[in-house]
Amino acid sequence: MMFTAAVIVGNPKPQSRTRDAAERLASALGATSTTIEVSELGAGLLGFGDPLVADAVARVQDADLVIAASPTFKGTYSGLLKLFLDQFATATGLAGRVAVPLMLGAGPAHALAPELSLKPVLVELGAICPAQGLYQLDKRYAEEGALDTWLGAWAPAIHASLREDGSR
Amino acid sequence: MMFTAAVIVGNPKPQSRTRDAAERLASALGATSTTIEVSELGAGLLGFGDPLVADAVARVQDADLVIAASPTFKGTYSGLLKLFLDQFATATGLAGRVAVPLMLGAGPAHALAPELSLKPVLVELGAICPAQGLYQLDKRYAEEGALDTWLGAWAPAIHASLREDGSR
Amino acid sequence: MMFTAAVIVGNPKPQSRTRDAAERLASALGATSTTIEVSELGAGLLGFGDPLVADAVARVQDADLVIAASPTFKGTYSGLLKLFLDQFATATGLAGRVAVPLMLGAGPAHALAPELSLKPVLVELGAICPAQGLYQLDKRYAEEGALDTWLGAWAPAIHASLREDGSR
Amino acid sequence: MMFTAAVIVGNPKPQSRTRDAAERLASALGATSTTIEVSELGAGLLGFGDPLVADAVARVQDADLVIAASPTFKGTYSGLLKLFLDQFATATGLAGRVAVPLMLGAGPAHALAPELSLKPVLVELGAICPAQGLYQLDKRYAEEGALDTWLGAWAPAIHASLREDGSR
């Protein structure tokens, strides 16, 4: 099965571990991916209707799979990521797309955040989120096997949803 | 596609609207369903290892689709429903099963609860929850077309996940 | 300042670490406390109107401070604790009482649960929850100083709320 | 009792109903208030260290009471509001300040959002949030008596926390 992923990186700092972790996840799932660094979209994010931002939204909508990735700020996703997600239409903005919420944190205390706070935002946009939200430690995400347990549990569900998606 | 659903009813009162709504949902999704009235399991729920409770858990695990249904108590699912869900093993208790969180309420104020509080519990048990948590008004759930918008948006994702399930 | 605390223990097992941690917290805050082991209330919890349960509810309502304590089951509070909290009236059941949500877990991954899932239930009952929900590791809660950071940050806010309470 | 409030308005549109509702709330609680329109802070919000943003943070920290106000976007607070809250230090950024999460929405379905998603962010910054998160309908917040039930339930708790604050 061939499919594409859009990796949305909500870290204010470019070339972050957030980005690296999200791209590794896309690759581990078997996707060819394109990356949107939200921080590069600039001040157009602060309003609505900016063409650069609209183009980034369209790039996300062109993908089969969306990985929405954020560092953990104040126990949840970054304002920067939410600023970009606010640009999508409610219920239809990601309808039919399969999405995975991913967050990186310095310690384990906020591990529930992808499931409890980021996933509901993606679902509100219409995204299908068949897997548990993924939380990774920023010191360990790149270790050999760091994704194995999560992939073993959830990759089949993601691929099943993508197959359906492919048949649109 | 033929598939079975287990309807878990977490209402302390038997023959509730919660049950009716959940069975209608199972039927609307095309499932042949069996119903577990948690209230009928009795005091064995208060501990672990009760054979009647273990049998109910096994009946849920035999189904392809699980509808976990609750009235809204204190802004979230009932203690009775959670008592039953606590009987399943973490991560594996519902692994590979597709599940839908359903809550009924008297008013619209708690509409976020199925997505924000009930779904994460099901996912923690390993369930695949591809659809947005469903909240229905207890005065309106039985009206013609009450499920149409939700089914239009989410039934395809549920069926896609079930197909994968069928291929195990 | 003299004040009383009701410690609600939502662990199915009596004499649990959950209980010990909650009683230590009551003591560290300077309260004289009474403990309700929800597990001892028995099958009356499964319905409404049981006199033993009603008496336990009244004991909680007689206290100035309520510590609602639970082990972490499936990423959130136990069904047993919620079963008891469901016995209180919405908005008024704990109105004017100061409450602290406390959860114990085997690992740090569910540390957000007291704040994100247990506190909102207490607030829905009318309780004033001025402190961040407290999560403790079941292997470490009894260590010297385990509560120091949390107490330093939040005890003043709890005491301020209790002083107001004392003036009713 | 004299006290000051900082009203943080996380609506991308200036002079919004969000602002009006938040200023009415500050006034109803008896505060002299200053308003920060986050949208006026501009592109400095997208990074860290901007002097205009730092000045706005300091203005918030100078107040006794903080009202964090947002329209409801995608079932939760706006990215714009979170972008500003991300500028505060974890645990200490609002330590000792009393805060109220306020959200406006077009319909009642997202009424749980201030309590379940916005309040935990404020608490993570160290803020004391003794009141239930407040959700108002954008068509009705300005009606006579719209705040009465909420104020009757929660204003005493807020004032008690502020009195303690005053004694620092």
Side-chain angles (χ1 to χ4, degrees):
Chain A
M1 179 173 55
M2 300 281 294
F3 63 97
T4 58
V7 168
I8 306 173
V9 183
N11 196 316
K13 183 171 62 81
Q15 300 299 336
S16 58
R17 287 177 290 192
T18 311
R19 176 180 182 155
D20 186 37
E23 291 178 342
R24 283 168 185 261
L25 175 60
S27 173
L29 287 167
T32 306
S33 72
T34 182
T35 297
I36 288 95
E37 284 266 18
V38 180
S39 66
E40 293 177 355
L41 299 176
L45 285 164
L46 298 169
F48 294 98
D50 181 80
L52 198 63
V53 173
D55 179 67
V57 167
R59 282 172 60 206
V60 172
Q61 291 172 329
D62 277 348
D64 302 307
L65 174 69
V66 176
I67 297 175
S70 179
T72 306
F73 285 175
K74 319 310 170 194
T76 185
Y77 48 78
S78 67
L80 188 69
L81 177 64
K82 182 60 164 47
L83 209 57
F84 183 60
L85 296 176
D86 285 348
Q87 302 279 338
F88 290 74
T90 296
T92 59
L94 289 179
R97 294 339 171 277
V98 179
V100 178
L102 168 65
M103 290 176 57
L104 260 72
H110 296 142
L112 284 173
E115 181 68 21
L116 269 66
S117 63
L118 181 49
K119 184 192 279 189
V121 174
L122 300 172
V123 171
E124 188 74 12
L125 303 179
I128 300 160
C129 296
Q132 189 166 38
L134 175 58
Y135 184 85
Q136 296 190 278
L137 294 176
D138 56 17
K139 297 290 188 295
R140 297 208 186 151
Y141 76 91
E143 290 177 3
E144 180 77 22
L147 277 172
D148 289 358
T149 302
W150 188 89
L151 284 173
W154 299 108
I158 294 169
H159 289 140
S161 294
L162 284 165
R163 267 190 287 279
E164 172 70 7
D165 202 56
S167 71
R168 304 176 269 187
Chain B
M1 178 173 56
M2 301 280 293
F3 64 96
T4 59
V7 168
I8 306 173
V9 182
N11 196 316
K13 183 171 64 80
Q15 300 300 335
S16 59
R17 288 177 291 192
T18 311
R19 176 180 181 156
D20 187 37
E23 291 177 342
R24 283 167 185 261
L25 175 60
S27 174
L29 286 168
T32 305
S33 72
T34 182
T35 298
I36 289 95
E37 283 266 18
V38 180
S39 65
E40 293 176 355
L41 299 176
L45 285 164
L46 298 168
F48 294 98
D50 181 81
L52 199 62
V53 173
D55 180 67
V57 167
R59 281 173 60 208
V60 172
Q61 291 172 329
D62 277 347
D64 302 306
L65 174 69
V66 176
I67 297 176
S70 179
T72 306
F73 285 177
K74 319 310 169 195
T76 186
Y77 48 77
S78 68
L80 188 69
L81 177 64
K82 182 60 163 49
L83 210 56
F84 183 60
L85 296 176
D86 285 348
Q87 302 279 339
F88 290 75
T90 297
T92 59
L94 289 178
R97 295 339 171 279
V98 180
V100 178
L102 167 64
M103 289 176 57
L104 260 72
H110 296 141
L112 284 173
E115 180 68 22
L116 268 67
S117 64
L118 181 49
K119 184 191 279 188
V121 175
L122 300 172
V123 172
E124 189 75 12
L125 303 179
I128 299 160
C129 296
Q132 190 166 36
L134 175 58
Y135 184 85
Q136 296 190 278
L137 294 175
D138 55 18
K139 297 290 188 294
R140 298 209 185 149
Y141 75 90
E143 289 176 4
E144 180 77 22
L147 278 172
D148 288 359
T149 302
W150 188 88
L151 284 173
W154 299 107
I158 294 168
H159 290 141
S161 294
L162 284 165
R163 267 190 287 282
E164 173 69 9
D165 202 57
S167 72
R168 293 179 280 186
Chain C
M1 180 173 55
M2 300 281 293
F3 64 96
T4 59
V7 168
I8 306 172
V9 182
N11 196 316
K13 184 171 63 79
Q15 300 299 337
S16 59
R17 287 177 292 191
T18 311
R19 175 179 182 156
D20 186 37
E23 292 178 341
R24 283 168 185 261
L25 175 60
S27 173
L29 286 167
T32 306
S33 72
T34 182
T35 297
I36 289 95
E37 283 266 17
V38 180
S39 66
E40 293 177 355
L41 299 176
L45 285 164
L46 297 169
F48 294 99
D50 181 81
L52 199 62
V53 173
D55 179 67
V57 167
R59 281 173 60 207
V60 172
Q61 291 172 330
D62 276 347
D64 303 305
L65 174 69
V66 176
I67 297 175
S70 180
T72 307
F73 285 177
K74 319 312 170 194
T76 185
Y77 48 78
S78 67
L80 188 69
L81 177 64
K82 183 59 164 48
L83 210 56
F84 183 59
L85 296 177
D86 285 348
Q87 303 278 338
F88 290 75
T90 297
T92 59
L94 288 178
R97 295 339 172 276
V98 179
V100 178
L102 168 65
M103 289 176 57
L104 260 72
H110 296 142
L112 284 173
E115 180 68 21
L116 269 66
S117 63
L118 181 50
K119 184 192 279 188
V121 175
L122 300 173
V123 171
E124 189 74 12
L125 303 179
I128 299 160
C129 296
Q132 189 165 38
L134 175 59
Y135 185 85
Q136 295 190 278
L137 294 175
D138 57 17
K139 298 289 188 296
R140 297 208 186 150
Y141 75 91
E143 290 177 3
E144 180 77 21
L147 278 171
D148 288 358
T149 302
W150 188 89
L151 285 173
W154 299 107
I158 293 169
H159 289 141
S161 294
L162 284 165
R163 267 190 286 280
E164 172 69 8
D165 202 58
S167 73
R168 327 173 252 184
Chain D
M1 180 173 54
M2 300 281 292
F3 64 96
T4 58
V7 168
I8 306 172
V9 183
N11 196 316
K13 183 171 65 77
Q15 299 300 335
S16 59
R17 287 177 291 193
T18 311
R19 176 180 182 156
D20 187 37
E23 291 177 342
R24 283 168 185 261
L25 175 60
S27 173
L29 286 167
T32 306
S33 73
T34 182
T35 297
I36 289 94
E37 283 266 17
V38 180
S39 66
E40 293 177 355
L41 299 176
L45 286 164
L46 298 168
F48 294 98
D50 181 80
L52 199 62
V53 173
D55 179 67
V57 167
R59 279 173 61 207
V60 172
Q61 291 173 329
D62 277 347
D64 302 306
L65 174 69
V66 176
I67 297 175
S70 179
T72 307
F73 285 176
K74 318 310 168 194
T76 186
Y77 48 77
S78 67
L80 188 69
L81 178 64
K82 183 58 162 50
L83 210 56
F84 183 59
L85 295 176
D86 285 349
Q87 301 280 338
F88 289 75
T90 296
T92 59
L94 289 179
R97 296 338 172 278
V98 179
V100 178
L102 167 65
M103 289 176 57
L104 260 72
H110 296 141
L112 284 174
E115 181 68 22
L116 269 66
S117 64
L118 181 49
K119 183 191 280 189
V121 175
L122 300 173
V123 171
E124 188 75 11
L125 303 179
I128 300 160
C129 296
Q132 189 166 37
L134 175 58
Y135 184 84
Q136 295 190 278
L137 295 175
D138 56 17
K139 297 290 188 294
R140 298 208 184 150
Y141 76 90
E143 289 177 4
E144 180 76 22
L147 278 172
D148 288 358
T149 302
W150 189 88
L151 284 174
W154 299 108
I158 294 169
H159 289 140
S161 294
L162 284 165
R163 267 191 286 281
E164 173 69 7
D165 202 57
S167 72
R168 293 180 280 185

